Amino acid sequence: MEQELRDIRYQSRTYAKLETLMNRVSEESLKEEHRKQNHRKAVGVDGVAKAEYGEKLDENVADLIARMKRFGYKPQPVRRTYIPKANGKMRPLGIPAYEDRLVQSVMAGVLSDIYEERFLDCSYGFRPERSAHQVVREINQTIMTRSVNYVLDADIKGFFDNVDHGWLMKFLENDIADRNFLRYVKRFLIAGVMEGTERRESDKGTPQGAKYRRCWRTYICIMCWIYGMKRYCESSVKVKYTICGTLTIFC
């Protein structure tokens, strides 16, 4: 598994577009993600928890892979739940079905290794070994040690709720040539949301899922936005930082 991810990083450094990514979603990688899952996590619309899935792990994973190979696998809608925010409002979260969570986790690892080689150093959102605390320290250092006349702090309101699926796919198609991988990305995006007993279509946006490990739908939105913004302003802005849909520029 580690060797495969190193290969992806090498390919990302070497080639403009990457091919043959879908084979990273294998029985081995899915079982590894199963072992990493927290048994206390909330269940999705399937009602399946880690312990139940693990009772017939080999059989379940083999069946999942077989369905994916014949394109018979379709992600289930995420279960909508809400948690309170600091400002008194409620933040919506999307809880995926258990096998969807496994596939998402493997695909998130692939996407992470593709884009880690392509990001600029000033992006911090949803990146390994980076955090909001680090970017606060960097901003403080910039203000204290460099000549700053203006600070532009931009935040995309309702970023996760309004991401355009068409543009998101165009961003990914710019770097990924594996049509099967992109097909499953699209299937996850349009899987829908279950709120109570009502199923809602998802023609835009991606559910936030902070309660499970690095929801890949959130991750690719962050990556696409940061990657595109960075390339656009790289030559014209001297100091800039981004994290989670927010861009801070010093000039």
Side-chain angles (χ1 to χ4, degrees):
M1 182 66 179
E2 288 298 322
Q3 181 60 46
E4 289 182 349
L5 293 179
R6 284 195 292 270
D7 291 343
I8 293 174
R9 291 191 285 268
Y10 169 77
Q11 291 179 42
S12 188
R13 289 193 301 268
T14 308
Y15 305 107
K17 282 192 174 186
L18 279 75
E19 302 179 354
T20 319
L21 297 174
M22 202 61 219
N23 63 354
R24 268 62 178 185
V25 184
S26 63
E27 290 192 25
E28 178 187 357
S29 62
L30 290 169
K31 289 178 182 179
E32 178 63 23
E33 287 301 331
H34 168 74
R35 287 189 285 270
K36 293 177 181 178
Q37 295 298 312
N38 187 329
H39 69 277
R40 293 191 296 269
K41 287 182 179 178
V43 299
V45 296
D46 59 345
V48 176
K50 178 179 180 178
E52 181 181 351
Y53 195 87
E55 290 175 359
K56 298 181 178 179
L57 181 61
D58 291 343
E59 180 181 331
N60 288 333
V61 170
D63 176 67
L64 174 56
I65 289 293
R67 282 182 284 130
M68 294 190 76
K69 287 182 177 179
R70 65 174 185 267
F71 300 108
Y73 165 66
K74 294 184 179 180
Q76 300 182 61
V78 297
R79 181 172 66 83
R80 175 62 55 82
T81 187
Y82 296 86
I83 61 172
K85 298 171 64 174
N87 61 6
K89 296 182 179 180
M90 301 298 287
R91 181 189 304 278
L93 298 179
I95 310 300
Y98 190 80
E99 68 175 11
D100 296 341
R101 181 178 298 171
L102 299 183
V103 177
Q104 288 175 4
S105 297
V106 175
M107 294 179 73
V110 173
L111 289 166
S112 175
D113 281 279
I114 292 173
Y115 285 96
E116 273 300 307
E117 298 297 329
R118 303 184 179 211
F119 276 163
L120 301 181
D121 191 53
C122 50
S123 63
Y124 286 81
F126 288 87
R127 295 184 63 183
E129 300 181 6
R130 296 201 173 202
S131 68
H133 297 291
Q134 290 175 308
V135 77
V136 169
R137 287 196 295 268
E138 291 291 336
I139 289 174
N140 181 67
Q141 183 72 7
T142 298
I143 293 174
M144 297 299 293
T145 62
R146 302 185 64 165
S147 176
V148 176
N149 297 309
Y150 301 97
V151 177
L152 172 62
D153 187 37
D155 179 77
I156 300 181
K157 182 178 180 181
F159 176 66
F160 295 105
D161 297 329
N162 296 289
V163 170
D164 185 281
H165 291 176
W167 277 107
L168 190 152
M169 294 303 300
K170 287 180 181 179
F171 272 114
L172 291 177
E173 289 166 2
N174 185 65
D175 300 307
I176 296 173
D178 187 332
R179 306 307 303 176
N180 293 336
F181 190 92
L182 293 173
R183 178 184 295 188
Y184 276 115
V185 170
K186 182 65 174 180
R187 285 191 179 185
F188 274 110
L189 289 172
I190 63 175
V193 176
M194 285 294 295
E195 190 148 6
T197 58
E198 181 183 356
R199 185 184 187 279
R200 298 182 179 179
E201 300 297 327
S202 49
D203 57 350
K204 66 176 181 178
T206 64
Q208 297 185 60
K211 286 187 176 294
Y212 52 87
R213 179 180 174 269
R214 196 173 61 189
C215 170
W216 71 270
R217 279 176 288 189
T218 297
Y219 194 76
I220 57 179
C221 288
I222 292 291
M223 286 194 298
C224 290
W225 183 77
I226 291 175
Y227 186 49
M229 285 295 294
K230 286 304 188 353
R231 294 302 178 187
Y232 178 76
C233 64
E234 184 176 14
S235 61
S236 58
V237 179
K238 292 183 178 179
V239 183
K240 52 198 174 294
Y241 304 101
T242 66
I243 184 167
C244 303
T246 301
L247 172 69
T248 303
I249 297 176
F250 297 88
C251 47

